[in-house]
Amino acid sequence: MAVKMDPIHQFELKPLVSFGHIGNQEIAFTQSALYMFSAVGIIALITIVATANRSVVPGRMQSMAEIFYDFIGSTLRQSAGHGSERFMPLIFSLFMFVLVLNMLGMIPYAFAVTSHIIVTFALALLVIGTVIVYGFMAHGTGFLKVFVPSGVPGWLMPMIVAIEIVSFISRPISLAVRLFANVLAGHIALKIFAGFVPALLAAGAWGIISPLPLALSIAVTALEFLVAGLQAYVFATLASIYLSDALHPGH
Amino acid sequence: MAQPASPTAPNQATVVVPDSEHGGGFPPFQSHTFLSQLIWLALAFGLLYYLMAKIALPRIQGILHDRATRLSGDLDEAHRMKAEAEAAGAAYERALSEAQSKARAISADTRNSVAQETDARRKSLEAELNERLVASEATIKSRTAEAMGSVRGIAAETASAIVERLTGHSPDQAALNRALDKTSTAH
């Protein structure tokens, strides 16, 4: 009972195969890794297995892959503009990976990989790293113009540049924390509200109000599905907007 | 925050149990799991990126491109056929209007020629009738004159016969003529 009620328990990593330690780091194939590879498998099923026939008139799975492709393609084009096609694999992979992991996390008793900040932070750093590396590769030092907005009076410039640098540095943090916190908070809320139901039922006469948290947890479940999809979209959109800086640093 | 219901834990195990249970804190912040998570994330996401970039996305792009070209090809074909049908329709319309105008011309021609013919026939008929009328009038005149001439002779004969019966001898021819002239001018 006590363990089941613990809303934090669900985020624990459970090593399935342990490979020992490096320093204090435990290297193990955990359920988190299993979910990651399951997500890759599911995405491959939708985008590769289902499209193997290359039918002109698509089936259900193939049209799902096409809808995702169109959706991410148009989001990327609108956010990052001309030349953004080269980032399509990255943004598409990010969106699908986060979306499928979020959705898998919504299955009861399943594990939400994106509730671990190290995962979301690594993905955010991948985005910002791509922005920096591609920005310098494509524009050289011209990429630094990203910190110098045009049309700002000279005396304001030092302050504006400082603000731009801070905002640039905070991007990966906000990107990572937004996804992590949304998934984590949602799962904790779900667990707590759902936990009230058996607790009230076990408390004798209080059991009469147990439908209340039940209804609430159903509502929160619906909300969490929305959040799961929305956060994947937000992650992909923000990544696209940041990549547009690498493509067009002058604004 | 952890272990709200494990008052017995400190007795049985010192540090190992909480360590294996919660690893000493909130799971997402247990830094000893970070390297492992990063390794699996890198492997999984790297695999995903490779699959998407090398297989999935080019394939989906190809499917969409094929469909677009096929659709535009079909649309072009449809446009071409529509244009053909429209041209055929226009040609039909043109032929129809040509035939109509030709028919109109033919009917007008026919009407004209028929009218001319009847006109000519009517004119010749009228001329013939006039001729006959003139000839008849001339005949009537000559007959009248002839008759009038005979009337004078008959009147002279009758008058001389009457005078002869009354007087016993035939009258003077000259006086008779004078008398006859007088009566005819009196009329």
Side-chain angles (χ1 to χ4, degrees):
Chain A
M1 185 68 196
V3 175
K4 285 249 183 266
M5 272 297 289
D6 180 2
I8 304 303
H9 179 76
Q10 61 178 322
F11 302 115
E12 271 173 42
L13 288 170
K14 295 187 182 67
L16 303 175
V17 183
S18 189
F19 300 103
H21 289 72
I22 299 174
N24 70 336
Q25 297 287 318
E26 185 185 6
I27 308 301
F29 189 84
T30 58
Q31 94 274 40
S32 170
L34 183 63
Y35 277 93
M36 289 182 199
F37 284 105
S38 306
V40 174
I42 289 167
I43 297 165
L45 191 72
I46 295 169
T47 60
I48 295 175
V49 178
T51 58
N53 289 333
R54 298 158 194 265
S55 351
V56 174
V57 179
R60 252 178 245 179
M61 292 283 265
Q62 189 187 318
S63 77
M64 203 151 91
E66 289 172 12
I67 287 166
F68 280 130
Y69 182 91
D70 272 344
F71 178 64
I72 296 302
S74 64
T75 303
L76 181 61
R77 225 172 299 117
Q78 280 164 20
S79 306
H82 178 71
S84 59
E85 300 79 25
R86 73 185 74 235
F87 295 123
M88 182 64 180
L90 177 66
I91 299 296
F92 188 81
S93 304
L94 277 174
F95 174 77
M96 295 304 285
F97 196 59
V98 174
L99 179 72
V100 172
L101 286 177
N102 284 354
M103 287 299 174
L104 283 178
M106 286 308 297
I107 298 170
Y109 301 106
F111 175 77
V113 176
T114 41
S115 68
H116 277 252
I117 191 161
I118 187 67
V119 173
T120 63
F121 195 66
L123 293 176
L125 273 186
L126 177 65
V127 173
I128 298 300
T130 306
V131 170
I132 293 170
V133 170
Y134 181 81
F136 279 116
M137 261 171 52
H139 307 284
T141 51
F143 175 62
L144 293 173
K145 271 190 288 187
V146 78
F147 299 115
V148 187
S150 51
V152 174
W155 60 274
L156 257 178
M157 201 51 98
M159 212 163 80
I160 295 290
V161 168
I163 291 171
E164 288 283 337
I165 289 171
V166 170
S167 102
F168 189 86
I169 290 167
S170 64
R171 277 173 180 181
I173 301 165
S174 76
L175 200 56
V177 170
R178 183 180 299 110
L179 177 58
F180 152 75
N182 268 287
V183 175
L184 184 86
H187 280 262
I188 291 175
L190 252 183
K191 193 84 172 181
I192 289 173
F193 284 126
F196 279 146
V197 180
L200 285 169
L201 282 175
W206 285 107
I208 205 149
I209 61 162
S210 63
L212 213 66
L214 180 66
L216 212 60
S217 61
I218 291 169
V220 172
T221 305
L223 180 73
E224 282 313 303
F225 272 109
L226 177 72
V227 168
L230 196 67
Q231 286 305 320
Y233 173 65
V234 166
F235 198 93
T237 306
L238 287 176
S240 305
I241 291 169
Y242 299 159
L243 283 169
S244 96
D245 277 349
L247 287 162
H248 324 286
H251 321 238
Chain B
M1 71 175 80
Q3 313 285 351
S6 53
T8 54
N11 300 345
Q12 290 170 350
T14 52
V15 200
V16 184
V17 170
D19 232 39
S20 66
E21 271 296 301
H22 276 187
F26 189 49
F29 296 147
Q30 288 166 346
S31 57
H32 71 89
T33 65
F34 283 2
L35 181 63
S36 176
Q37 288 200 68
L38 286 176
I39 290 169
W40 297 118
L41 176 66
L43 286 175
F45 194 77
L47 175 66
L48 179 66
Y49 186 90
Y50 177 81
L51 290 176
M52 294 300 110
K54 294 291 166 207
I55 304 173
L57 295 180
R59 186 186 289 174
I60 296 172
Q61 193 179 20
I63 291 169
L64 294 177
H65 183 258
D66 280 357
R67 185 174 308 148
T69 51
R70 190 149 161 192
L71 278 181
S72 68
D74 285 1
L75 274 178
D76 286 351
E77 179 78 6
H79 277 304
R80 197 180 56 72
M81 282 179 159
K82 194 180 167 216
E84 257 173 33
E86 269 169 5
Y92 167 74
E93 289 283 337
R94 206 164 45 242
L96 192 65
S97 70
E98 260 170 29
Q100 273 175 346
S101 62
K102 208 180 276 176
R104 228 175 279 130
I106 287 171
S107 80
D109 275 1
T110 315
R111 210 182 303 125
N112 283 347
S113 66
V114 167
Q116 274 170 3
E117 210 171 288
T118 38
D119 227 32
R121 208 181 287 163
R122 188 168 50 80
K123 271 181 189 155
S124 70
L125 210 59
E126 275 174 3
E128 199 180 315
L129 284 174
N130 277 343
E131 238 167 66
R132 270 195 215 167
L133 208 62
V134 168
S136 312
E137 269 172 12
T139 313
I140 289 168
K141 259 184 202 158
S142 69
R143 292 275 166 86
T144 311
E146 204 175 302
M148 285 317 253
S150 339
V151 163
R152 192 183 168 95
I154 292 163
E157 263 173 39
T158 316
S160 72
I162 291 167
V163 169
E164 209 178 322
R165 184 80 57 88
L166 288 174
T167 63
H169 59 90
S170 61
D172 179 30
Q173 196 66 41
L176 194 66
N177 273 344
R178 261 197 318 273
L180 278 174
D181 284 342
K182 214 185 271 177
T183 52
S184 67
T185 49
H187 277 81

